[in-house]
Amino acid sequence: MLSRWRDLLPGLILIAGVVALFAVTTTFPTVPPAFAQGMQATAMPRLILGVIALLAVILIAQGYGKSESAKPAISIRVWATAALLVAGTLAFEWLGLTLTTALTCFAMPLLWGERRIVRVGVFAVLTPLLIYLLFTHVLQLRLPQGILTSLLN
Amino acid sequence: MEHVIAGFGVLLDPVSLSVIVLGTIVGVLVGALPGLSSSMAVALLLPFTIYLEPVPAIAMLAALYCAGTFGGSITAILINAPGAPPAAATAFDGYPMAQRGEAGRALGMAAVSSVIGGILSLVVMVIAAPALAQIANTFGPPEYFALAVFGLSMLASISSDSPVKNLIGGALGLLIATVGVDLTTGVERFTFGVPELYEGISFIPVLIGLFAVAELLTQANAKDKPLERVSLTAVKLPSLADFKAVWKTILRSSGIGTFIGILPAEGSTVAAMIGYNEARRWSKHPERFGTGEIEGIAGPEAANNAATGGSMVPTLALGIPGSATAAVILGGLQIHGLRPGAYLFKNQPDLLYSIFAAMLFANIVFLGFGLLGARLFSRISLVPRTFLWPTVFALCVVGAYGVNQSLIDVSIMMLAGFIGFWLKRFGFGAAPIIMGVVLGSLVENSLAQSMIIFDHHALRFVERPIALAFFALAAISIFYKPLSDAIRQRRTARTSLSGETR
């Protein structure tokens, strides 16, 4: 059904999101009109959610009877890259920026099919090193260095 | 006159000049790299401009915008892979010319047309922006609300598979802008107990996530395809005969590009496509288009670069971005504490001329690059994707973290990247969302103030003629295409029916 009804899935996801967020807006406290100065805090989000819901319905209606255009299958490389990025983000605080960047710059090229391991190694060392030197010593930006804090700061 | 001199002074300051040159070089490089757009480059550079004074910072971003638009034509002509969407139309005739050994002639024409289009639009910008800002000075909250609605409605007419998806993108951007403590009521909205969200979602991580991380994931799914490179000996300036053949096309496309650029939300890509189509329509040899016709390069190149100057007009004068990249530059203005509109020209009178000087300088510099360094810049596409995108990711992390020195911003960037990837897969672009985020506070504040003025009677918007005119334009931009399509379909059906009955 999803492949024979264009934009049904994104439309339904949007409507579900609208319902969920509308429910969240019901938890917003109401302030006295004098403080609200024209609009309560719920007014704008609800107005936008209403517009999104209306547009999602139009999107679904427009797609009725039209088949979904073929999309390239999501390769294992995308999932692996996404997992790597999430792991990098989670490790960011602990490992620090320089080490996280080095590991990402080592793992991602290999994941994307690069087999020249020496080049990858050099790249994984030089990229974070250049970023560290440029931002910490030239632009004076304090980057979190995690377990390398005592060494690099 | 003193403001003009002061504005051009940006080119005499070594730091400012260096960052403008840097912006121009980065722009041409990024523009030449397939997958990297000037919007993404401006988004990635924006966090680092915080360490600069506002004038050189905005001047650098503006220079990058110009140069990035031109850079795409190098790879469009030499390898049939437009480095950026605005250069897509250039490839139609540029690559066939390169294949028959005229790459130098094609690149020369692209560079010269781009520069003429760019400079003409800058002249319009420097005249029109202050005049428009002066008019906007008379606007009250109802007019600003209607103007913002009109700006968002124009998302329906930008190039995309579905206008509805663009409008949804704009609305999602507005929704993102509501996150945080509502300044009027003090009520927390969609913060889910995360203290870092009390001040709202920072603009830059969302921007970097939607433009760069989403593209990185898209690139992870792309198959490696070997690019066929056409050899290039030397770039040639257009001959007198070539110039005689295209000067009308260049002028026409410059006008089209500037006008399209001034329209909210419409950018260089739309301008280039219209510039190409109009060049073909007015040409004495329309049948030659697509086979390596020189007018097919002059048309889109003059138009796409003219759109850069044009798009800065509503951005600076009204605070309504003229394109996706202009939306990012508008975010830059806001980050530097500058408020577009009449205030900007009153409080920072030099800024307009600094932007003019920077963009003018960028045009002249990339003419040099285009003529002398095209061969070198085309080699940028040889950088393996396997090394390019991890570097982009490293810059994304530093950029997202650097603004507020906050780890939550890195997480927001990642989340925006993943959402952006899925949205892109379903045909939703990043640009409309960014437009919504940028315009969010203007829409909400002006609506709230309007409701106070109107004593909570929304229908009193009709009492304001300017606001009413903007609403009418918004309605036209939303409903014109579906209505004209429906009328055309009905006519076609009626014609075929009458043909059958005969």
Short mmCIF file of all heavy atoms in Angstrom, two decimals, chain B residues 178-232:
data_model
loop_
_atom_site.label_atom_id
_atom_site.label_comp_id
_atom_site.label_asym_id
_atom_site.label_seq_id
_atom_site.Cartn_x
_atom_site.Cartn_y
_atom_site.Cartn_z
N THR B 178 9.98 27.73 18.02
CA THR B 178 9.17 27.96 19.23
C THR B 178 9.76 27.27 20.47
O THR B 178 9.30 27.51 21.58
CB THR B 178 7.71 27.46 19.06
OG1 THR B 178 7.72 26.05 18.87
CG2 THR B 178 7.01 28.14 17.91
N VAL B 179 10.74 26.38 20.25
CA VAL B 179 11.32 25.65 21.39
C VAL B 179 12.03 26.64 22.32
O VAL B 179 12.69 27.57 21.88
CB VAL B 179 12.32 24.58 20.89
CG1 VAL B 179 13.03 23.91 22.07
CG2 VAL B 179 11.60 23.54 20.04
N GLY B 180 11.85 26.40 23.63
CA GLY B 180 12.50 27.26 24.63
C GLY B 180 11.49 28.03 25.44
O GLY B 180 10.27 27.86 25.27
N VAL B 181 11.99 28.88 26.33
CA VAL B 181 11.09 29.66 27.17
C VAL B 181 10.51 30.81 26.34
O VAL B 181 11.26 31.56 25.71
CB VAL B 181 11.84 30.21 28.40
CG1 VAL B 181 10.94 31.13 29.22
CG2 VAL B 181 12.35 29.07 29.27
N ASP B 182 9.17 30.89 26.33
CA ASP B 182 8.50 31.99 25.63
C ASP B 182 8.80 33.28 26.40
O ASP B 182 8.47 33.39 27.59
CB ASP B 182 6.99 31.69 25.59
CG ASP B 182 6.22 32.82 24.94
OD1 ASP B 182 6.81 33.51 24.08
OD2 ASP B 182 5.03 33.00 25.28
N LEU B 183 9.43 34.21 25.72
CA LEU B 183 9.91 35.41 26.42
C LEU B 183 8.78 36.26 26.98
O LEU B 183 8.95 36.96 27.97
CB LEU B 183 10.79 36.24 25.49
CG LEU B 183 12.14 35.61 25.12
CD1 LEU B 183 12.91 36.50 24.17
CD2 LEU B 183 12.97 35.32 26.36
N THR B 184 7.61 36.20 26.36
CA THR B 184 6.49 37.03 26.83
C THR B 184 5.85 36.44 28.08
O THR B 184 5.61 37.15 29.06
CB THR B 184 5.42 37.15 25.73
OG1 THR B 184 6.07 37.38 24.50
CG2 THR B 184 4.44 38.26 26.02
N THR B 185 5.59 35.14 28.05
CA THR B 185 4.85 34.53 29.16
C THR B 185 5.75 33.82 30.16
O THR B 185 5.31 33.50 31.26
CB THR B 185 3.84 33.50 28.60
OG1 THR B 185 4.59 32.52 27.84
CG2 THR B 185 2.82 34.15 27.70
N GLY B 186 6.98 33.52 29.75
CA GLY B 186 7.88 32.78 30.63
C GLY B 186 7.58 31.30 30.68
O GLY B 186 8.11 30.57 31.52
N VAL B 187 6.73 30.84 29.77
CA VAL B 187 6.35 29.41 29.76
C VAL B 187 7.36 28.62 28.93
O VAL B 187 7.76 29.04 27.85
CB VAL B 187 4.92 29.25 29.16
CG1 VAL B 187 4.59 27.79 28.93
CG2 VAL B 187 3.90 29.90 30.07
N GLU B 188 7.76 27.45 29.49
CA GLU B 188 8.68 26.57 28.74
C GLU B 188 7.90 25.83 27.65
O GLU B 188 6.82 25.30 27.92
CB GLU B 188 9.28 25.52 29.66
CG GLU B 188 10.34 26.02 30.58
CD GLU B 188 10.77 24.91 31.54
OE1 GLU B 188 10.84 23.75 31.13
OE2 GLU B 188 11.00 25.24 32.71
N ARG B 189 8.47 25.82 26.44
CA ARG B 189 7.78 25.11 25.35
C ARG B 189 8.73 24.07 24.75
O ARG B 189 9.82 24.41 24.30
CB ARG B 189 7.33 26.10 24.27
CG ARG B 189 6.35 27.12 24.80
CD ARG B 189 5.75 27.97 23.71
NE ARG B 189 6.72 28.77 22.99
CZ ARG B 189 6.41 29.80 22.22
NH1 ARG B 189 5.14 30.15 22.08
NH2 ARG B 189 7.34 30.49 21.59
N PHE B 190 8.28 22.83 24.75
CA PHE B 190 9.01 21.70 24.13
C PHE B 190 10.46 21.60 24.63
O PHE B 190 11.34 21.21 23.85
CB PHE B 190 9.01 21.83 22.59
CG PHE B 190 7.65 21.99 21.97
CD1 PHE B 190 7.34 23.12 21.23
CD2 PHE B 190 6.67 21.01 22.12
CE1 PHE B 190 6.09 23.28 20.64
CE2 PHE B 190 5.42 21.16 21.54
CZ PHE B 190 5.12 22.30 20.81
N THR B 191 10.70 21.92 25.89
CA THR B 191 12.08 21.79 26.39
C THR B 191 12.30 20.39 26.99
O THR B 191 13.45 19.98 27.14
CB THR B 191 12.37 22.84 27.48
OG1 THR B 191 11.40 22.70 28.50
CG2 THR B 191 12.34 24.25 26.93
N PHE B 192 11.21 19.72 27.34
CA PHE B 192 11.26 18.36 27.90
C PHE B 192 12.25 18.26 29.06
O PHE B 192 12.95 17.26 29.22
CB PHE B 192 11.60 17.32 26.80
CG PHE B 192 10.62 17.36 25.65
CD1 PHE B 192 10.97 17.95 24.43
CD2 PHE B 192 9.33 16.85 25.79
CE1 PHE B 192 10.07 18.02 23.38
CE2 PHE B 192 8.42 16.91 24.73
CZ PHE B 192 8.79 17.49 23.53
N GLY B 193 12.32 19.31 29.84
CA GLY B 193 13.15 19.31 31.05
C GLY B 193 14.65 19.44 30.79
O GLY B 193 15.45 19.31 31.71
N VAL B 194 15.04 19.67 29.55
CA VAL B 194 16.48 19.82 29.24
C VAL B 194 16.86 21.30 29.43
O VAL B 194 16.40 22.16 28.67
CB VAL B 194 16.80 19.37 27.79
CG1 VAL B 194 18.29 19.54 27.49
CG2 VAL B 194 16.37 17.93 27.57
N PRO B 195 17.66 21.60 30.46
CA PRO B 195 17.97 23.02 30.74
C PRO B 195 18.60 23.75 29.57
O PRO B 195 18.38 24.94 29.37
CB PRO B 195 18.94 22.95 31.93
CG PRO B 195 18.82 21.58 32.46
CD PRO B 195 18.35 20.69 31.38
N GLU B 196 19.41 23.02 28.78
CA GLU B 196 20.11 23.67 27.65
C GLU B 196 19.15 24.17 26.58
O GLU B 196 19.53 24.93 25.70
CB GLU B 196 21.12 22.70 27.01
CG GLU B 196 22.37 22.47 27.82
CD GLU B 196 22.22 21.34 28.82
OE1 GLU B 196 21.06 20.90 29.06
OE2 GLU B 196 23.24 20.91 29.38
N LEU B 197 17.90 23.68 26.64
CA LEU B 197 16.93 24.10 25.63
C LEU B 197 16.11 25.31 26.06
O LEU B 197 15.28 25.81 25.30
CB LEU B 197 15.99 22.95 25.25
CG LEU B 197 16.62 21.74 24.55
CD1 LEU B 197 15.56 20.68 24.25
CD2 LEU B 197 17.30 22.16 23.25
N TYR B 198 16.33 25.78 27.31
CA TYR B 198 15.51 26.90 27.81
C TYR B 198 15.64 28.13 26.91
O TYR B 198 14.70 28.88 26.71
CB TYR B 198 15.91 27.28 29.24
CG TYR B 198 15.47 26.27 30.29
CD1 TYR B 198 15.86 26.40 31.62
CD2 TYR B 198 14.67 25.18 29.95
CE1 TYR B 198 15.47 25.47 32.58
CE2 TYR B 198 14.28 24.26 30.90
CZ TYR B 198 14.68 24.40 32.21
OH TYR B 198 14.30 23.49 33.14
N GLU B 199 16.84 28.34 26.39
CA GLU B 199 17.04 29.53 25.53
C GLU B 199 16.71 29.24 24.07
O GLU B 199 17.00 30.03 23.19
CB GLU B 199 18.49 30.02 25.65
CG GLU B 199 18.75 30.70 26.98
CD GLU B 199 20.17 31.22 27.07
OE1 GLU B 199 20.73 31.59 26.02
OE2 GLU B 199 20.71 31.24 28.18
N GLY B 200 16.15 28.09 23.83
CA GLY B 200 15.77 27.72 22.46
C GLY B 200 16.85 26.88 21.80
O GLY B 200 17.94 26.71 22.34
N ILE B 201 16.48 26.34 20.64
CA ILE B 201 17.45 25.54 19.90
C ILE B 201 18.35 26.49 19.13
O ILE B 201 17.87 27.34 18.39
CB ILE B 201 16.73 24.55 18.94
CG1 ILE B 201 15.99 23.49 19.76
CG2 ILE B 201 17.71 23.90 17.99
CD1 ILE B 201 15.27 22.45 18.96
N SER B 202 19.64 26.32 19.35
CA SER B 202 20.59 27.19 18.66
C SER B 202 20.49 26.96 17.15
O SER B 202 20.37 25.82 16.68
CB SER B 202 22.00 26.87 19.17
OG SER B 202 22.91 27.76 18.63
N PHE B 203 20.55 28.04 16.42
CA PHE B 203 20.34 28.01 14.97
C PHE B 203 21.45 27.24 14.24
O PHE B 203 21.20 26.44 13.34
CB PHE B 203 20.29 29.48 14.52
CG PHE B 203 20.37 29.74 13.06
CD1 PHE B 203 19.33 29.36 12.23
CD2 PHE B 203 21.46 30.37 12.51
CE1 PHE B 203 19.39 29.62 10.87
CE2 PHE B 203 21.53 30.63 11.16
CZ PHE B 203 20.49 30.25 10.34
N ILE B 204 22.69 27.44 14.67
CA ILE B 204 23.83 26.89 13.92
C ILE B 204 23.88 25.36 13.91
O ILE B 204 24.06 24.77 12.84
CB ILE B 204 25.16 27.52 14.43
CG1 ILE B 204 25.21 28.97 13.96
CG2 ILE B 204 26.38 26.76 13.94
CD1 ILE B 204 26.41 29.75 14.41
N PRO B 205 23.71 24.68 15.06
CA PRO B 205 23.73 23.20 14.98
C PRO B 205 22.65 22.63 14.05
O PRO B 205 22.91 21.66 13.33
CB PRO B 205 23.48 22.78 16.42
CG PRO B 205 23.83 23.94 17.25
CD PRO B 205 23.59 25.15 16.44
N VAL B 206 21.47 23.26 14.06
CA VAL B 206 20.39 22.79 13.18
C VAL B 206 20.82 22.96 11.72
O VAL B 206 20.66 22.07 10.88
CB VAL B 206 19.08 23.58 13.46
CG1 VAL B 206 17.99 23.18 12.48
CG2 VAL B 206 18.62 23.36 14.88
N LEU B 207 21.39 24.12 11.48
CA LEU B 207 21.85 24.46 10.13
C LEU B 207 22.90 23.47 9.62
O LEU B 207 22.79 22.90 8.53
CB LEU B 207 22.47 25.85 10.25
CG LEU B 207 22.73 26.68 9.05
CD1 LEU B 207 21.41 27.11 8.49
CD2 LEU B 207 23.54 27.91 9.45
N ILE B 208 23.91 23.23 10.46
CA ILE B 208 25.00 22.33 10.07
C ILE B 208 24.46 20.91 9.91
O ILE B 208 24.81 20.20 8.96
CB ILE B 208 26.14 22.38 11.11
CG1 ILE B 208 26.77 23.77 11.14
CG2 ILE B 208 27.21 21.34 10.80
CD1 ILE B 208 27.82 23.97 12.22
N GLY B 209 23.59 20.52 10.84
CA GLY B 209 23.03 19.16 10.75
C GLY B 209 22.24 18.95 9.48
O GLY B 209 22.45 17.98 8.74
N LEU B 210 21.34 19.89 9.19
CA LEU B 210 20.46 19.74 8.03
C LEU B 210 21.23 19.80 6.72
O LEU B 210 20.94 19.07 5.78
CB LEU B 210 19.37 20.82 8.03
CG LEU B 210 18.26 20.66 9.06
CD1 LEU B 210 17.34 21.86 9.04
CD2 LEU B 210 17.45 19.40 8.81
N PHE B 211 22.21 20.69 6.64
CA PHE B 211 22.94 20.84 5.38
C PHE B 211 24.08 19.82 5.26
O PHE B 211 24.21 19.16 4.23
CB PHE B 211 23.53 22.25 5.24
CG PHE B 211 22.54 23.26 4.71
CD1 PHE B 211 22.17 24.36 5.45
CD2 PHE B 211 21.96 23.10 3.47
CE1 PHE B 211 21.26 25.29 4.98
CE2 PHE B 211 21.05 24.02 2.98
CZ PHE B 211 20.69 25.12 3.74
N ALA B 212 24.91 19.70 6.29
CA ALA B 212 26.15 18.93 6.13
C ALA B 212 26.01 17.47 6.56
O ALA B 212 26.39 16.57 5.80
CB ALA B 212 27.27 19.62 6.92
N VAL B 213 25.49 17.22 7.78
CA VAL B 213 25.42 15.83 8.24
C VAL B 213 24.45 15.02 7.38
O VAL B 213 24.72 13.87 7.02
CB VAL B 213 25.04 15.77 9.74
CG1 VAL B 213 24.92 14.33 10.21
CG2 VAL B 213 26.08 16.51 10.58
N ALA B 214 23.31 15.64 7.03
CA ALA B 214 22.34 14.94 6.17
C ALA B 214 22.98 14.60 4.82
O ALA B 214 22.78 13.51 4.27
CB ALA B 214 21.10 15.81 5.97
N GLU B 215 23.78 15.52 4.28
CA GLU B 215 24.44 15.26 2.99
C GLU B 215 25.51 14.18 3.15
O GLU B 215 25.68 13.36 2.25
CB GLU B 215 25.06 16.58 2.48
CG GLU B 215 25.71 16.49 1.12
CD GLU B 215 24.75 16.10 -0.01
OE1 GLU B 215 23.57 16.48 0.05
OE2 GLU B 215 25.21 15.39 -0.93
N LEU B 216 26.17 14.18 4.30
CA LEU B 216 27.19 13.14 4.55
C LEU B 216 26.55 11.76 4.48
O LEU B 216 27.07 10.84 3.84
CB LEU B 216 27.82 13.37 5.92
CG LEU B 216 29.02 12.50 6.32
CD1 LEU B 216 29.90 13.28 7.29
CD2 LEU B 216 28.64 11.20 6.96
N LEU B 217 25.38 11.61 5.13
CA LEU B 217 24.69 10.31 5.12
C LEU B 217 24.21 9.98 3.70
O LEU B 217 24.22 8.82 3.29
CB LEU B 217 23.52 10.33 6.11
CG LEU B 217 23.95 10.38 7.58
CD1 LEU B 217 22.76 10.69 8.48
CD2 LEU B 217 24.58 9.05 8.01
N THR B 218 23.78 11.01 2.97
CA THR B 218 23.36 10.77 1.58
C THR B 218 24.55 10.29 0.75
O THR B 218 24.42 9.37 -0.06
CB THR B 218 22.79 12.08 0.97
OG1 THR B 218 21.80 12.58 1.85
CG2 THR B 218 22.18 11.84 -0.40
N GLN B 219 25.69 10.91 1.00
CA GLN B 219 26.91 10.51 0.27
C GLN B 219 27.33 9.09 0.64
O GLN B 219 27.88 8.37 -0.19
CB GLN B 219 28.05 11.49 0.57
CG GLN B 219 27.86 12.88 0.00
CD GLN B 219 27.97 12.92 -1.51
OE1 GLN B 219 28.68 12.14 -2.11
NE2 GLN B 219 27.23 13.82 -2.14
N ALA B 220 27.05 8.70 1.89
CA ALA B 220 27.39 7.33 2.31
C ALA B 220 26.60 6.31 1.50
O ALA B 220 27.04 5.18 1.29
CB ALA B 220 27.10 7.15 3.79
N ASN B 221 25.44 6.73 1.03
CA ASN B 221 24.58 5.82 0.25
C ASN B 221 24.88 5.90 -1.24
O ASN B 221 24.40 5.07 -2.01
CB ASN B 221 23.11 6.18 0.50
CG ASN B 221 22.20 5.00 0.35
OD1 ASN B 221 22.60 3.86 0.64
ND2 ASN B 221 20.99 5.21 -0.12
N ALA B 222 25.67 6.91 -1.63
CA ALA B 222 25.92 7.10 -3.07
C ALA B 222 26.97 6.11 -3.55
O ALA B 222 27.91 5.78 -2.82
CB ALA B 222 26.39 8.53 -3.32
N LYS B 223 26.76 5.66 -4.75
CA LYS B 223 27.73 4.72 -5.33
C LYS B 223 28.90 5.52 -5.89
O LYS B 223 28.74 6.63 -6.40
CB LYS B 223 27.08 3.90 -6.45
CG LYS B 223 26.09 2.90 -5.94
CD LYS B 223 25.69 1.94 -7.04
CE LYS B 223 24.83 0.82 -6.51
NZ LYS B 223 23.50 1.24 -6.10
N ASP B 224 30.10 4.93 -5.78
CA ASP B 224 31.27 5.59 -6.37
C ASP B 224 31.19 5.46 -7.87
O ASP B 224 31.09 4.35 -8.40
CB ASP B 224 32.56 4.91 -5.89
CG ASP B 224 32.73 5.08 -4.39
OD1 ASP B 224 32.56 6.20 -3.92
OD2 ASP B 224 32.99 4.07 -3.72
N LYS B 225 31.16 6.61 -8.54
CA LYS B 225 31.17 6.52 -10.00
C LYS B 225 32.36 7.30 -10.55
O LYS B 225 32.59 8.45 -10.15
CB LYS B 225 29.84 7.00 -10.61
CG LYS B 225 29.42 8.38 -10.20
CD LYS B 225 28.16 8.77 -10.92
CE LYS B 225 27.76 10.18 -10.51
NZ LYS B 225 26.48 10.60 -10.96
N PRO B 226 33.12 6.68 -11.42
CA PRO B 226 34.27 7.39 -11.96
C PRO B 226 33.83 8.56 -12.81
O PRO B 226 32.91 8.44 -13.64
CB PRO B 226 34.98 6.33 -12.80
CG PRO B 226 33.97 5.28 -13.07
CD PRO B 226 32.94 5.36 -12.00
N LEU B 227 34.42 9.73 -12.59
CA LEU B 227 34.05 10.91 -13.35
C LEU B 227 34.96 11.05 -14.56
O LEU B 227 36.18 10.91 -14.45
CB LEU B 227 34.16 12.17 -12.47
CG LEU B 227 33.23 12.20 -11.27
CD1 LEU B 227 33.61 13.33 -10.34
CD2 LEU B 227 31.78 12.37 -11.72
N GLU B 228 34.34 11.31 -15.69
CA GLU B 228 35.13 11.47 -16.91
C GLU B 228 35.56 12.93 -17.04
O GLU B 228 34.71 13.82 -17.10
CB GLU B 228 34.28 11.07 -18.11
CG GLU B 228 35.13 10.59 -19.28
CD GLU B 228 34.26 10.04 -20.38
OE1 GLU B 228 33.47 9.11 -20.12
OE2 GLU B 228 34.34 10.59 -21.48
N ARG B 229 36.85 13.15 -17.02
CA ARG B 229 37.35 14.51 -17.03
C ARG B 229 37.80 14.90 -18.43
O ARG B 229 38.54 14.18 -19.08
CB ARG B 229 38.53 14.62 -16.06
CG ARG B 229 38.93 16.01 -15.67
CD ARG B 229 40.01 15.89 -14.61
NE ARG B 229 39.57 14.93 -13.60
CZ ARG B 229 38.80 15.24 -12.57
NH1 ARG B 229 38.43 16.48 -12.40
NH2 ARG B 229 38.42 14.34 -11.71
N VAL B 230 37.32 16.05 -18.87
CA VAL B 230 37.72 16.55 -20.19
C VAL B 230 39.00 17.37 -20.02
O VAL B 230 39.13 18.12 -19.06
CB VAL B 230 36.59 17.43 -20.78
CG1 VAL B 230 37.02 18.02 -22.11
CG2 VAL B 230 35.33 16.61 -20.95
N SER B 231 39.93 17.18 -20.94
CA SER B 231 41.21 17.89 -20.77
C SER B 231 41.02 19.40 -21.02
O SER B 231 40.18 19.81 -21.82
CB SER B 231 42.25 17.33 -21.73
OG SER B 231 41.86 17.63 -23.04
N LEU B 232 41.81 20.17 -20.31
CA LEU B 232 41.72 21.63 -20.41
C LEU B 232 43.12 22.17 -20.60
O LEU B 232 44.01 21.90 -19.81
CB LEU B 232 41.11 22.20 -19.12
CG LEU B 232 41.13 23.70 -18.95
CD1 LEU B 232 40.18 24.37 -19.91
CD2 LEU B 232 40.77 24.08 -17.53
#
